mmCIF file of all heavy atoms in Angstrom:
data_model
loop_
_atom_site.group_PDB
_atom_site.id
_atom_site.type_symbol
_atom_site.label_atom_id
_atom_site.label_comp_id
_atom_site.label_asym_id
_atom_site.label_seq_id
_atom_site.Cartn_x
_atom_site.Cartn_y
_atom_site.Cartn_z
ATOM 1 N N LEU A 80 -15.282 7.121 15.183
ATOM 2 C CA LEU A 80 -14.781 6.662 16.431
ATOM 3 C C LEU A 80 -15.273 5.222 16.718
ATOM 4 O O LEU A 80 -16.514 5.048 16.693
ATOM 5 C CB LEU A 80 -15.157 7.561 17.577
ATOM 6 C CG LEU A 80 -14.807 7.107 19.014
ATOM 7 C CD1 LEU A 80 -13.300 7.065 19.177
ATOM 8 C CD2 LEU A 80 -15.431 8.029 20.024
ATOM 9 N N VAL A 81 -14.420 4.310 16.924
ATOM 10 C CA VAL A 81 -14.744 2.928 17.330
ATOM 11 C C VAL A 81 -14.379 2.786 18.792
ATOM 12 O O VAL A 81 -13.249 3.068 19.162
ATOM 13 C CB VAL A 81 -14.045 1.877 16.469
ATOM 14 C CG1 VAL A 81 -14.318 0.483 16.993
ATOM 15 C CG2 VAL A 81 -14.441 2.042 15.002
ATOM 16 N N LEU A 82 -15.333 2.356 19.602
ATOM 17 C CA LEU A 82 -15.133 2.159 21.026
ATOM 18 C C LEU A 82 -14.828 0.742 21.327
ATOM 19 O O LEU A 82 -15.466 -0.204 20.762
ATOM 20 C CB LEU A 82 -16.357 2.663 21.841
ATOM 21 C CG LEU A 82 -16.593 4.162 21.770
ATOM 22 C CD1 LEU A 82 -17.945 4.491 22.392
ATOM 23 C CD2 LEU A 82 -15.500 4.954 22.521
ATOM 24 N N ILE A 83 -13.942 0.483 22.278
ATOM 25 C CA ILE A 83 -13.572 -0.842 22.681
ATOM 26 C C ILE A 83 -13.525 -0.909 24.223
ATOM 27 O O ILE A 83 -13.036 -0.017 24.827
ATOM 28 C CB ILE A 83 -12.227 -1.265 22.082
ATOM 29 C CG1 ILE A 83 -11.897 -2.719 22.422
ATOM 30 C CG2 ILE A 83 -11.072 -0.361 22.448
ATOM 31 C CD1 ILE A 83 -10.702 -3.272 21.616
ATOM 32 N N SER A 84 -14.166 -1.965 24.764
ATOM 33 C CA SER A 84 -14.212 -2.067 26.213
ATOM 34 C C SER A 84 -14.436 -3.479 26.705
ATOM 35 O O SER A 84 -15.140 -4.261 26.053
ATOM 36 C CB SER A 84 -15.351 -1.201 26.735
ATOM 37 O OG SER A 84 -15.503 -1.368 28.144
ATOM 38 N N ALA A 85 -13.815 -3.798 27.834
ATOM 39 C CA ALA A 85 -13.994 -5.096 28.435
ATOM 40 C C ALA A 85 -15.189 -5.118 29.350
ATOM 41 O O ALA A 85 -15.675 -6.146 29.802
ATOM 42 C CB ALA A 85 -12.778 -5.506 29.254
ATOM 43 N N HIS A 86 -15.721 -3.911 29.573
ATOM 44 C CA HIS A 86 -16.836 -3.787 30.577
ATOM 45 C C HIS A 86 -18.147 -3.408 29.843
ATOM 46 O O HIS A 86 -19.086 -3.091 30.460
ATOM 47 C CB HIS A 86 -16.515 -2.694 31.545
ATOM 48 C CG HIS A 86 -15.191 -2.842 32.163
ATOM 49 N ND1 HIS A 86 -14.886 -3.780 33.113
ATOM 50 C CD2 HIS A 86 -13.983 -2.190 31.956
ATOM 51 C CE1 HIS A 86 -13.594 -3.739 33.480
ATOM 52 N NE2 HIS A 86 -13.036 -2.711 32.755
ATOM 53 N N GLY A 87 -18.154 -3.482 28.552
ATOM 54 C CA GLY A 87 -19.307 -3.042 27.788
ATOM 55 C C GLY A 87 -20.456 -3.969 27.921
ATOM 56 O O GLY A 87 -20.287 -5.155 28.202
ATOM 57 N N ASP A 88 -21.635 -3.463 27.761
ATOM 58 C CA ASP A 88 -22.844 -4.281 27.698
ATOM 59 C C ASP A 88 -23.691 -3.760 26.545
ATOM 60 O O ASP A 88 -23.399 -2.790 25.913
ATOM 61 C CB ASP A 88 -23.609 -4.233 29.016
ATOM 62 C CG ASP A 88 -23.948 -2.815 29.491
ATOM 63 O OD1 ASP A 88 -23.825 -1.908 28.623
ATOM 64 O OD2 ASP A 88 -24.310 -2.597 30.618
ATOM 65 N N ILE A 89 -24.779 -4.483 26.321
ATOM 66 C CA ILE A 89 -25.629 -4.132 25.160
ATOM 67 C C ILE A 89 -26.206 -2.727 25.233
ATOM 68 O O ILE A 89 -26.112 -1.960 24.281
ATOM 69 C CB ILE A 89 -26.769 -5.159 25.016
ATOM 70 C CG1 ILE A 89 -26.203 -6.538 24.700
ATOM 71 C CG2 ILE A 89 -27.689 -4.727 23.867
ATOM 72 C CD1 ILE A 89 -25.358 -6.597 23.436
ATOM 73 N N PRO A 90 -26.779 -2.277 26.395
ATOM 74 C CA PRO A 90 -27.273 -0.896 26.469
ATOM 75 C C PRO A 90 -26.184 0.178 26.144
ATOM 76 O O PRO A 90 -26.433 1.160 25.448
ATOM 77 C CB PRO A 90 -27.777 -0.780 27.920
ATOM 78 C CG PRO A 90 -28.093 -2.174 28.253
ATOM 79 C CD PRO A 90 -27.069 -3.011 27.619
ATOM 80 N N MET A 91 -24.961 -0.101 26.705
ATOM 81 C CA MET A 91 -23.889 0.826 26.440
ATOM 82 C C MET A 91 -23.549 0.920 24.978
ATOM 83 O O MET A 91 -23.368 1.983 24.379
ATOM 84 C CB MET A 91 -22.629 0.463 27.227
ATOM 85 C CG MET A 91 -21.437 1.420 26.993
ATOM 86 S SD MET A 91 -19.911 0.871 27.732
ATOM 87 C CE MET A 91 -20.278 1.120 29.447
ATOM 88 N N ALA A 92 -23.525 -0.251 24.311
ATOM 89 C CA ALA A 92 -23.163 -0.316 22.852
ATOM 90 C C ALA A 92 -24.255 0.410 22.060
ATOM 91 O O ALA A 92 -23.948 1.180 21.143
ATOM 92 C CB ALA A 92 -23.052 -1.747 22.425
ATOM 93 N N VAL A 93 -25.500 0.103 22.357
ATOM 94 C CA VAL A 93 -26.627 0.734 21.624
ATOM 95 C C VAL A 93 -26.569 2.263 21.772
ATOM 96 O O VAL A 93 -26.706 3.043 20.855
ATOM 97 C CB VAL A 93 -27.985 0.206 22.090
ATOM 98 C CG1 VAL A 93 -29.126 1.018 21.505
ATOM 99 C CG2 VAL A 93 -28.112 -1.309 21.733
ATOM 100 N N GLN A 94 -26.356 2.726 23.031
ATOM 101 C CA GLN A 94 -26.313 4.175 23.258
ATOM 102 C C GLN A 94 -25.129 4.790 22.524
ATOM 103 O O GLN A 94 -25.226 5.923 21.963
ATOM 104 C CB GLN A 94 -26.188 4.402 24.797
ATOM 105 C CG GLN A 94 -26.303 5.930 25.116
ATOM 106 C CD GLN A 94 -27.645 6.515 24.717
ATOM 107 O OE1 GLN A 94 -28.648 5.961 25.025
ATOM 108 N NE2 GLN A 94 -27.602 7.669 24.006
ATOM 109 N N ALA A 95 -23.967 4.110 22.504
ATOM 110 C CA ALA A 95 -22.817 4.668 21.843
ATOM 111 C C ALA A 95 -23.055 4.804 20.345
ATOM 112 O O ALA A 95 -22.686 5.852 19.759
ATOM 113 C CB ALA A 95 -21.602 3.749 22.064
ATOM 114 N N ILE A 96 -23.699 3.802 19.718
ATOM 115 C CA ILE A 96 -24.019 3.910 18.326
ATOM 116 C C ILE A 96 -25.003 5.025 18.047
ATOM 117 O O ILE A 96 -24.819 5.825 17.075
ATOM 118 C CB ILE A 96 -24.535 2.567 17.811
ATOM 119 C CG1 ILE A 96 -23.541 1.443 17.984
ATOM 120 C CG2 ILE A 96 -24.963 2.678 16.304
ATOM 121 C CD1 ILE A 96 -22.239 1.631 17.239
ATOM 122 N N GLN A 97 -26.030 5.155 18.899
ATOM 123 C CA GLN A 97 -27.000 6.202 18.726
ATOM 124 C C GLN A 97 -26.361 7.596 18.882
ATOM 125 O O GLN A 97 -26.809 8.567 18.243
ATOM 126 C CB GLN A 97 -28.129 6.028 19.754
ATOM 127 C CG GLN A 97 -29.035 4.847 19.460
ATOM 128 C CD GLN A 97 -30.097 4.707 20.534
ATOM 129 O OE1 GLN A 97 -29.993 5.260 21.638
ATOM 130 N NE2 GLN A 97 -31.112 3.897 20.226
ATOM 131 N N ASP A 98 -25.288 7.680 19.707
ATOM 132 C CA ASP A 98 -24.623 8.949 19.945
ATOM 133 C C ASP A 98 -23.609 9.270 18.866
ATOM 134 O O ASP A 98 -22.958 10.329 18.915
ATOM 135 C CB ASP A 98 -23.958 8.960 21.337
ATOM 136 C CG ASP A 98 -24.974 8.990 22.452
ATOM 137 O OD1 ASP A 98 -26.127 9.340 22.204
ATOM 138 O OD2 ASP A 98 -24.581 8.677 23.587
ATOM 139 N N GLY A 99 -23.414 8.359 17.913
ATOM 140 C CA GLY A 99 -22.536 8.696 16.754
ATOM 141 C C GLY A 99 -21.318 7.845 16.626
ATOM 142 O O GLY A 99 -20.510 8.088 15.699
ATOM 143 N N ALA A 100 -21.119 6.867 17.536
ATOM 144 C CA ALA A 100 -19.970 5.942 17.366
ATOM 145 C C ALA A 100 -20.132 5.148 16.096
ATOM 146 O O ALA A 100 -21.222 4.725 15.775
ATOM 147 C CB ALA A 100 -19.782 5.085 18.618
ATOM 148 N N TYR A 101 -19.005 4.864 15.426
ATOM 149 C CA TYR A 101 -19.088 4.033 14.193
ATOM 150 C C TYR A 101 -19.389 2.575 14.586
ATOM 151 O O TYR A 101 -20.160 1.931 13.939
ATOM 152 C CB TYR A 101 -17.747 4.093 13.427
ATOM 153 C CG TYR A 101 -17.784 3.288 12.177
ATOM 154 C CD1 TYR A 101 -18.305 3.781 11.001
ATOM 155 C CD2 TYR A 101 -17.262 1.960 12.169
ATOM 156 C CE1 TYR A 101 -18.387 3.019 9.869
ATOM 157 C CE2 TYR A 101 -17.296 1.192 11.010
ATOM 158 C CZ TYR A 101 -17.876 1.736 9.833
ATOM 159 O OH TYR A 101 -17.953 0.959 8.738
ATOM 160 N N SER A 102 -18.759 2.076 15.651
ATOM 161 C CA SER A 102 -18.987 0.711 16.103
ATOM 162 C C SER A 102 -18.541 0.576 17.527
ATOM 163 O O SER A 102 -17.862 1.470 18.113
ATOM 164 C CB SER A 102 -18.234 -0.266 15.193
ATOM 165 O OG SER A 102 -18.618 -1.616 15.497
ATOM 166 N N PHE A 103 -18.892 -0.589 18.096
ATOM 167 C CA PHE A 103 -18.527 -0.849 19.492
ATOM 168 C C PHE A 103 -18.009 -2.282 19.575
ATOM 169 O O PHE A 103 -18.730 -3.189 19.134
ATOM 170 C CB PHE A 103 -19.759 -0.640 20.411
ATOM 171 C CG PHE A 103 -19.464 -0.782 21.893
ATOM 172 C CD1 PHE A 103 -19.279 0.353 22.653
ATOM 173 C CD2 PHE A 103 -19.376 -2.025 22.490
ATOM 174 C CE1 PHE A 103 -19.002 0.270 23.989
ATOM 175 C CE2 PHE A 103 -19.090 -2.090 23.884
ATOM 176 C CZ PHE A 103 -18.929 -0.958 24.614
ATOM 177 N N VAL A 104 -16.825 -2.500 20.134
ATOM 178 C CA VAL A 104 -16.249 -3.819 20.142
ATOM 179 C C VAL A 104 -15.875 -4.190 21.607
ATOM 180 O O VAL A 104 -15.283 -3.339 22.311
ATOM 181 C CB VAL A 104 -14.970 -3.836 19.279
ATOM 182 C CG1 VAL A 104 -14.372 -5.271 19.266
ATOM 183 C CG2 VAL A 104 -15.279 -3.404 17.829
ATOM 184 N N GLU A 105 -16.230 -5.385 21.992
ATOM 185 C CA GLU A 105 -15.900 -5.831 23.345
ATOM 186 C C GLU A 105 -14.556 -6.561 23.358
ATOM 187 O O GLU A 105 -14.166 -7.285 22.425
ATOM 188 C CB GLU A 105 -16.952 -6.791 23.837
ATOM 189 C CG GLU A 105 -18.249 -6.108 24.314
ATOM 190 C CD GLU A 105 -19.176 -7.030 25.086
ATOM 191 O OE1 GLU A 105 -19.689 -7.959 24.429
ATOM 192 O OE2 GLU A 105 -19.318 -6.849 26.290
ATOM 193 N N LYS A 106 -13.799 -6.331 24.442
ATOM 194 C CA LYS A 106 -12.540 -7.020 24.692
ATOM 195 C C LYS A 106 -12.863 -8.389 25.342
ATOM 196 O O LYS A 106 -13.768 -8.468 26.116
ATOM 197 C CB LYS A 106 -11.634 -6.254 25.607
ATOM 198 C CG LYS A 106 -11.197 -4.858 25.165
ATOM 199 C CD LYS A 106 -10.354 -4.196 26.225
ATOM 200 C CE LYS A 106 -9.983 -2.758 25.904
ATOM 201 N NZ LYS A 106 -9.205 -2.100 26.979
ATOM 202 N N PRO A 107 -12.070 -9.426 25.012
ATOM 203 C CA PRO A 107 -11.032 -9.437 23.994
ATOM 204 C C PRO A 107 -11.702 -9.577 22.641
ATOM 205 O O PRO A 107 -12.691 -10.243 22.491
ATOM 206 C CB PRO A 107 -10.237 -10.673 24.350
ATOM 207 C CG PRO A 107 -11.201 -11.582 25.023
ATOM 208 C CD PRO A 107 -12.175 -10.669 25.798
ATOM 209 N N CYS A 108 -11.178 -8.880 21.637
ATOM 210 C CA CYS A 108 -11.740 -8.910 20.312
ATOM 211 C C CYS A 108 -10.912 -9.737 19.342
ATOM 212 O O CYS A 108 -9.704 -9.827 19.532
ATOM 213 C CB CYS A 108 -11.890 -7.481 19.784
ATOM 214 S SG CYS A 108 -10.356 -6.584 19.663
#
Side-chain angles (χ1 to χ4, degrees):
L80 174 66
V81 175
L82 292 171
I83 183 169
S84 175
H86 311 286
D88 55 14
I89 297 300
M91 179 188 289
V93 171
Q94 186 61 49
I96 300 299
Q97 290 178 344
D98 290 344
Y101 180 83
S102 187
F103 187 98
V104 182
E105 283 192 292
K106 298 177 185 177
C108 58

